């Protein structure tokens, strides 16, 4: 009866704790204390901390992906890029998924790293798609490589978190993404006064 | 007599272990075992693990900074930017300094975080300087903000490591930095056929 509820609660709590503290610093006992779920119920659902962590990582990935899928919506591609880059994010908390790469035990365990790698691969596909649309719409120069640029823009967000946490200030994160947008706009095929850059 | 030697050895070993495993996952015992320095000597030099970590962080910062100072050298600013962005880096090991922001105990301790914040502030200054030189040399559009762009380019490197570690492949790191260079070149004030972009 309370079965489903306690499983969900364990996954949710593990997800929060891994984001706050990382995998290594989270013990099964921490999860039980915060969730209020007992030891018997915990081991009924998850034989090991690692099994619980895989479920929590899948949950974090599921939380992250809908945001990237906004790219697939209608409207001007560059406006969708701007909306995705600039939407409110908690710079000092960092990315729920990206953070996991810095956790040694996650990084060194292919099973734990798999959901993280899969999430980044999917976000990359979404970025490539919207960047191709921006090129097709004449908003980005056609000699830019969308596959490459997709990694550049993903790195800006992931690295922006690192800078913000180092300085304990969201400013560098906001600078990093605004600067990326400035560069994308500077990479439009036409000059701001409307002349086309005819190089094709 | 062996005093200086063992202090250096402890700092070097702590620096390596913090890079490989992080602060939380490194015990004083790990440091003694790898360095071969005994417990008495260790506590003679460093009363606590935290004191040793501060010395190790200062060492990591000192290792990082000379690379940023290459920016101050002679020659074409954009060539120096390219050389710094593209120089060989171990993408799967990540940045010795940036990595520390992901370590909860470092992130939450102002004393441990201070050398990291200071290093990023200094690298930012170096980036701003070379980007201003690139604008002055007519290599970058004058409406781009060097302060902002400096954070974008720092984020590309820091975030590139995150992507590479997630995928266990240096490819996304190399893509991210090459894409940033493509964008910088696309943001030149003149078009490739030599016409000046007269917007000032």
């Amino acid at each position: 009866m309370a079965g489903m509820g306690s499983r969900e609660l364990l996954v949710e709590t593990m997800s929060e704790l891994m984001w706050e503290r990382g995998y290594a610093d989270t013990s099964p006992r921490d999860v039980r204390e915060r969730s209020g779920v007992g030891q018997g119920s915990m081991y009924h659902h998850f034989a090991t901390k690692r099994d619980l962590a895989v479920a929590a990582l899948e949950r974090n990935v599921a939380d992250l992906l809908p945001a990237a899928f906004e790219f697939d919506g209608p409207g001007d591609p560059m406006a969708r890029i701007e909306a995705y880059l600039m939407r409110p994010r908690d710079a000092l908390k960092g990315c729920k998924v990206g953070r996991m790469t810095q956790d040694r035990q996650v990084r060194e365990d292919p099973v734990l790293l798999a959901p993280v790698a899969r999430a980044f691969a999917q976000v990359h596909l979404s970025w490539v798609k919207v960047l191709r649309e921006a090129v097709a719409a004449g908003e980005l120069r056609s000699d830019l490589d969308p596959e490459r640029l997709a990694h550049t823009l993903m790195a800006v967000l992931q690295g922006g978190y690192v800078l913000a946490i180092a300085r304990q200030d969201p400013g560098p994160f906001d600078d990093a993404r605004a600067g990326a947008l400035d560069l994308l706009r500077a990479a439009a095929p036409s000059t701001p006064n409307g002349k086309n850059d005819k190089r094709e």
Side-chain angles (χ1 to χ4, degrees), chain A:
Chain A
M1 186 183 77
M4 273 305 285
S6 61
R7 188 184 192 283
E8 280 307 291
L9 207 53
L10 288 164
V11 171
E12 185 89 17
T13 306
M14 185 65 176
S15 156
E16 282 170 20
L17 287 169
M18 286 178 77
W19 196 17
E20 287 171 26
R21 313 180 179 179
Y23 178 69
D25 267 0
T26 299
S27 70
R29 187 182 174 156
D30 294 333
V31 179
R32 290 197 301 273
E33 284 180 359
R34 185 179 290 192
S35 66
V37 174
Q39 189 158 7
S41 176
M42 181 181 215
Y43 289 109
H44 168 70
H45 293 297
F46 300 101
T48 64
K49 171 180 155 184
R50 184 169 174 253
D51 292 339
L52 175 55
V54 170
L57 284 168
E58 299 285 2
R59 150 76 54 104
N60 289 352
V61 166
D63 284 352
L64 176 87
L65 289 182
F69 289 147
E70 288 165 20
F71 280 165
D72 294 336
D76 178 58
M78 195 59 90
R80 277 182 278 144
I81 289 172
E82 175 170 359
Y84 180 74
L85 272 179
M86 303 310 282
R87 81 194 171 84
R89 292 166 201 264
D90 191 341
L92 298 183
K93 277 195 93 174
C95 171
K96 267 188 185 176
V97 176
R99 263 281 275 293
M100 295 302 118
T101 60
Q102 306 300 321
D103 200 307
R104 178 193 171 208
Q105 292 180 31
V106 174
R107 206 168 59 233
E108 293 180 353
D109 182 338
V111 171
L112 288 174
L113 200 56
V116 177
R118 211 163 47 240
F120 277 111
Q122 290 185 21
V123 173
H124 184 253
L125 282 178
S126 295
W127 264 114
V128 170
K129 187 166 176 283
V130 74
L131 288 165
R132 286 207 179 114
E133 289 170 11
V135 170
E139 293 177 315
L140 267 185
R141 283 166 53 150
S142 57
D143 59 349
L144 289 167
D145 175 352
E147 302 266 343
R148 192 184 261 188
L149 217 51
H151 279 133
T152 303
L153 296 167
M154 289 169 72
V156 164
L157 291 176
Q158 293 295 327
Y161 291 126
V162 173
L163 304 183
I165 293 168
R167 309 288 288 273
Q168 288 294 294
D169 172 5
F173 178 78
D174 289 328
D175 268 8
R177 54 191 184 159
L181 202 58
D182 291 345
L183 283 177
L184 285 174
R185 289 195 177 121
S190 27
T191 57
N193 53 19
K195 285 179 304 187
N196 277 320
D197 174 13
K198 304 228 193 292
R199 287 171 304 103
E200 48 282 332

